[in-house]
């Protein structure tokens, strides 16, 4: 005791205890369940973590704000397109000259059944409309602005999926179907807008979630950011991971609320129900079917989701440990999102699949990925599935319950649901987009070299 005076001993004790408590704090944090959204993105990204699970874009406005830690949300300008492009397609009738429904009076209905899978257009538009009346913007990712020069991005409210689903067939005596006519009209309307001309539509958001929607216009509007279900029917020049956003399907089986099932209480090991014979990439379904249909704890059957199929699929998925998600006509399918809602660990066999918000979400924590070539090796799939033990499965099962809200479409939208996650995915694309647009503007002042005058310039012979 002679060496250390009592006062500094108390100080030392205090410091050690403080360090001890701090280290516990860090240890606890590193076990924090909510870390599956990666906040540690690239250092020059404009994203900052506002609270757990939430990403907010900072400084997306035209001007940077110094010395202010105020979080900014994505500012979106939406064209007031005539209702025939959006809610009119769902059967909604406008009142007077109003283009938009007043959501405080009631919410328009979106056609049900399988249409709902691609209803992304409806949920995003409603969230944008309601963002105006919301006085609590604290958890919101987006705000509608009425002046396009204040906006980060421009939203094109064309409900292309329902337009395809309902109006793809030509009426007798007509040259084109309504869906095609609307697309033609949209292209000429858009390309004549000041907002479009400003940067060739690069900051425009165009929705085409159904793989066959926007079939005519997609080759003309490809500068825009597309919201898609996958890239299966798009050449990389029209759509790609860098430019565009992948959005989840809306699941058609209901969410498994209060799921108290366990590894042992789910009798089926592997579940698949769907069309077995598909074109294109779907040939693998047929081969797998032949390989594993006779395994005792496998359910692999033909079935559609219509006519009682939804109830059957709900029960089937809830009583299975793993659900097969195999490439169909296109790399993506609704089955992945139905599996997530049923807490049935997805087994994804689709080599070219792109997943929603994969830049911030690690799917390997709650999905099993198997290469198509491996899946077709003799006994590979069944041996692999049987090798996954209770503990590992239970981990993935509880992860599924943490992430399921990211795939939930609803109105009103809630914090961290699919609607907010899509806006945030768009927001993450905004800074690189602005970089591109601004770089292209560098020489816009010295533009007199237009196409015709350029051609008259004498070029040196060796130029090409
Ligand atoms: C806004 O919403 C947040 C999160 O839901 C809540 O914590 C906050 O109290 C709300 N603020 C107001 C003014 O209602
Ligand atoms: C829109 O915003 C710009 C820039 O802030 C401003 O110059 C313009 O007057 C605004 N337009 C309208 C119609 O308010
Ligand atoms: C889930 O559990 C909660 C609390 O125990 C209960 O209030 C709720 O009604 C349950 N929901 C369903 C769909 O069973
Ligand atoms: C650009 O070309 C158009 C005709 O295509 C011509 O009318 C116009 O004067 C040209 N602009 C300049 C700056 O040369």
């Amino acid at each position: 005791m002679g060496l250390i005076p009592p006062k500094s001993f108390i100080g030392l004790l205090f410091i050690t205890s403080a360090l001890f408590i701090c280290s516990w704090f860090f240890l606890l944090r590193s076990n924090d369940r909510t870390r599956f959204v990666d906040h540690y993105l690239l250092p020059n990204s404009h994203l900052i973590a506002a609270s757990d699970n939430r990403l907010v874009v900072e400084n997306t406005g035209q001007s940077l704000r110094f010395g202010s830690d105020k979080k900014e949300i994505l500012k979106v300008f939406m064209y007031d397109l005539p209702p025939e492009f959006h809610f009119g397609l769902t059967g909604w009738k406008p009142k007077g000259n109003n283009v938009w429904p007043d959501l405080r009076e009631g919410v328009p209905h979106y056609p049900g059944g399988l249409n709902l899978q691609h209803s992304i257009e409806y949920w995003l538009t409603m969230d944008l409309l309601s963002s105006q009346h919301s006085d609590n913007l604290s958890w919101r990712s987006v705000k509608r602005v009425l002046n396009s020069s204040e906006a980060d991005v421009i939203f094109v409210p064309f409900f292309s999926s329902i337009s395809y689903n309902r109006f793809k067939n030509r009426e007798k005596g007509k040259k084109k179907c309504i869906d095609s006519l609307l697309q033609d009209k949209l292209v000429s309307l858009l390309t004549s807008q000041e907002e479009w001309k400003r940067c060739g539509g690069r900051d425009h958001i165009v929705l085409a979630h159904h793989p066959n929607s926007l079939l005519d216009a997609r080759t003309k509007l490809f500068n825009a950011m597309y919201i898609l279900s996958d890239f299966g029917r798009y050449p990389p020049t029209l759509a790609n991971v860098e430019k565009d956003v992948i959005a989840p399907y809306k699941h058609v089986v209901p969410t498994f609320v209060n799921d108290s099932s366990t590894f042992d209480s789910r009798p089926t090991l592997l579940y698949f129900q769907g069309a077995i014979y598909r074109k294109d990439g779907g040939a693998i379904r047929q081969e797998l079917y032949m390989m594993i249909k006779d395994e005792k704890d496998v359910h692999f059957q033909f079935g559609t989701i219509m006519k009682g199929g939804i109830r059957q699929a709900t029960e089937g998925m809830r009583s299975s440990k793993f659900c097969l998600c195999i490439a169909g006509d296109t790399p993506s399918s609704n089955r992945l999102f139905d599996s997530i809602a049923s807490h049935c660990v997805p087994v994804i066999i689709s080599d070219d699949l792109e997943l929603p918000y994969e830049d911030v979400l690690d799917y390997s924590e709650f999905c099993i990925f198997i290469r198509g070539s491996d899946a077709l090796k003799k006994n590979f799939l069944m041996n692999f599935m049987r090798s996954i033990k209770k503990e590992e499965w239970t981990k993935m099962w509880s992860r599924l319950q943490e992430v399921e809200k990211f795939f939930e479409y609803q109105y009103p939208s809630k914090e961290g649901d699919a609607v907010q996650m899509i806006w945030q995915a768009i927001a993450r694309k905004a800074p690189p987009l602005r970089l591109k647009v601004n770089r292209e503007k560098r020489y816009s002042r010295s533009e007199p070299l237009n196409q015709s005058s350029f051609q008259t310039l004498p070029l040196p012979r060796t130029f090409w």
Side-chain angles (χ1 to χ4, degrees):
M1 264 298 136
L3 283 175
I4 309 168
K7 255 192 192 161
S8 51
F9 180 74
I10 290 169
L12 202 65
L13 197 69
F14 179 75
I15 289 167
T16 7
S17 345
L19 278 173
F20 184 70
I21 289 164
C22 278
S23 66
W24 264 107
F25 179 71
F26 281 116
L27 201 66
L28 286 175
R29 266 197 70 88
S30 65
N31 283 334
D32 191 342
R33 278 275 178 95
T34 58
R35 285 212 338 153
F36 49 76
V37 170
D38 190 0
H39 293 162
Y40 308 102
L41 293 163
L42 297 175
N44 56 354
S45 145
H46 280 218
L47 287 169
I48 48 137
S51 68
D52 286 346
N53 300 353
R54 194 158 74 97
L55 297 168
V56 173
V57 172
E58 197 179 39
N59 290 334
T60 52
Q62 311 310 88
S63 60
L64 293 171
R65 288 186 195 178
F66 293 102
S68 153
D69 60 356
K70 198 168 166 293
K71 315 283 183 291
E72 284 191 35
I73 55 179
L74 186 72
K75 293 195 229 83
V76 178
F77 173 81
M78 173 159 71
Y79 288 119
D80 291 323
L81 292 183
E84 62 172 334
F85 285 102
H86 44 87
F87 287 101
L89 290 165
T90 71
W92 175 77
K93 299 269 183 302
K95 267 192 208 155
N97 288 333
N98 288 338
V99 176
W100 300 112
D102 186 341
L103 297 180
R104 291 167 297 187
E105 285 175 5
V107 177
H109 178 74
Y110 192 86
L114 289 186
N115 290 311
L116 279 173
Q117 303 185 84
H118 300 293
S119 54
I120 286 70
E121 46 204 25
Y122 169 74
W123 307 105
L124 290 185
T125 308
M126 295 225 290
D127 189 48
L128 212 45
L129 287 172
S130 73
S131 72
Q132 270 187 299
H133 306 304
S134 169
D135 38 9
N136 191 350
L137 290 171
S138 75
W139 58 265
R140 281 186 170 274
S141 314
V142 76
K143 186 176 129 199
R144 183 182 179 196
V145 294
L146 298 176
N147 182 340
S148 64
S149 22
E150 290 167 12
D152 300 311
V153 292
I154 314 281
F155 187 80
V156 181
F158 173 42
F159 288 8
S160 58
S161 296
I162 197 65
S163 174
Y164 172 76
N165 272 338
R166 294 188 99 173
F167 302 106
K168 60 176 171 290
N169 295 322
R170 241 176 337 129
E171 280 175 52
K172 263 203 189 116
K174 297 270 167 62
K175 255 193 176 151
K176 280 187 159 187
C177 63
I178 293 178
D179 181 39
S180 287
L181 290 173
L182 275 177
Q183 291 179 53
D184 292 349
K185 218 164 149 184
L186 181 76
V187 170
S188 54
L189 221 148
L190 272 187
T191 48
S192 66
Q193 301 297 314
E194 271 320 303
E195 286 83 5
W196 182 275
K197 289 182 194 158
R198 238 161 29 192
C199 49
R202 283 201 165 72
D203 56 357
H204 281 50
I205 311 290
V206 174
L207 305 147
H209 199 265
H210 191 295
N212 292 345
S213 63
L214 210 74
L215 215 46
D216 305 313
R218 64 175 65 165
T219 52
K220 297 171 185 132
L221 303 178
F222 66 88
N223 264 350
M225 190 191 295
Y226 287 140
I227 312 286
L228 304 174
S229 54
D230 63 49
F231 298 116
R233 303 217 169 132
Y234 286 77
T237 43
L238 292 193
N240 52 67
V241 187
E242 248 140 79
K243 173 174 83 71
D244 306 294
V245 167
I246 296 294
Y249 291 60
K250 179 171 167 55
H251 57 85
V252 290
V253 309
T255 306
F256 196 166
V257 186
N258 299 345
D259 173 6
S260 58
S261 68
T262 62
F263 186 77
D264 299 315
S265 77
R266 291 180 175 237
T268 307
L269 177 67
L270 194 55
Y271 181 91
F272 178 86
Q273 177 139 343
I276 290 168
Y277 304 99
R278 305 304 294 241
K279 339 170 253 221
D280 303 338
I284 195 171
R285 288 190 182 185
Q286 205 171 325
E287 290 188 51
L288 276 176
Y289 174 69
M290 297 315 287
M291 279 171 77
I292 63 173
K293 65 179 168 38
D294 295 327
E295 298 282 340
K296 65 175 183 349
D297 44 4
V298 169
H299 173 104
F300 201 131
Q301 277 184 10
F302 174 81
T304 79
I305 206 102
M306 300 305 282
K307 296 193 192 102
I310 292 188
R311 195 174 42 80
Q312 211 188 350
T314 307
E315 281 165 21
M317 289 182 158
R318 288 182 182 186
S319 54
S320 304
K321 299 178 180 72
F322 298 97
C323 286
L324 266 178
C325 305
I326 322 173
D329 293 347
T330 56
S332 73
S333 93
N334 200 18
R335 201 162 283 105
L336 169 61
F337 306 100
D338 285 341
S339 312
I340 294 174
S342 309
H343 312 151
C344 178
V345 175
V347 177
I348 298 175
I349 307 178
S350 178
D351 297 348
D352 303 320
L353 180 64
E354 294 297 339
L355 293 160
Y357 0 107
E358 204 177 3
D359 53 344
V360 292
L361 195 57
D362 180 358
Y363 281 79
S364 71
E365 291 174 345
F366 54 91
C367 293
I368 308 264
F369 291 87
I370 295 182
R371 286 192 189 84
S373 54
D374 285 340
L376 293 177
K377 285 179 194 152
K378 198 165 181 287
N379 296 334
F380 181 93
L381 183 62
M382 290 322 296
N383 286 344
F384 190 85
M385 297 326 305
R386 296 217 161 92
S387 74
I388 298 170
K389 295 285 175 272
K390 184 172 179 170
E391 194 190 351
E392 195 183 341
W393 181 87
T394 308
K395 231 181 188 169
M396 298 183 106
W397 170 81
S398 36
R399 207 53 129 192
L400 280 170
Q401 298 180 59
E402 292 165 344
V403 301
E404 65 182 345
K405 69 168 184 171
F406 299 146
F407 304 97
E408 212 61 71
Y409 289 99
Q410 56 207 335
Y411 180 83
S413 164
K414 294 200 183 106
E415 185 169 0
D417 68 4
V419 174
Q420 304 303 317
M421 288 295 280
I422 293 170
W423 290 127
Q424 289 168 25
I426 294 172
R428 289 194 291 277
K429 303 250 183 219
L433 187 96
R434 208 163 25 253
L435 171 70
K436 209 169 167 187
V437 168
N438 285 346
R439 291 184 70 149
E440 280 176 6
K441 280 196 209 152
R442 283 181 183 183
Y443 298 107
S444 60
R445 198 181 273 275
S446 46
E447 205 61 72
L449 282 180
N450 67 14
Q451 207 59 37
S452 46
S453 50
F454 183 70
Q455 279 159 5
T456 64
L457 278 180
L459 291 175
R461 271 168 192 270
T462 55
F463 189 79
W464 301 112

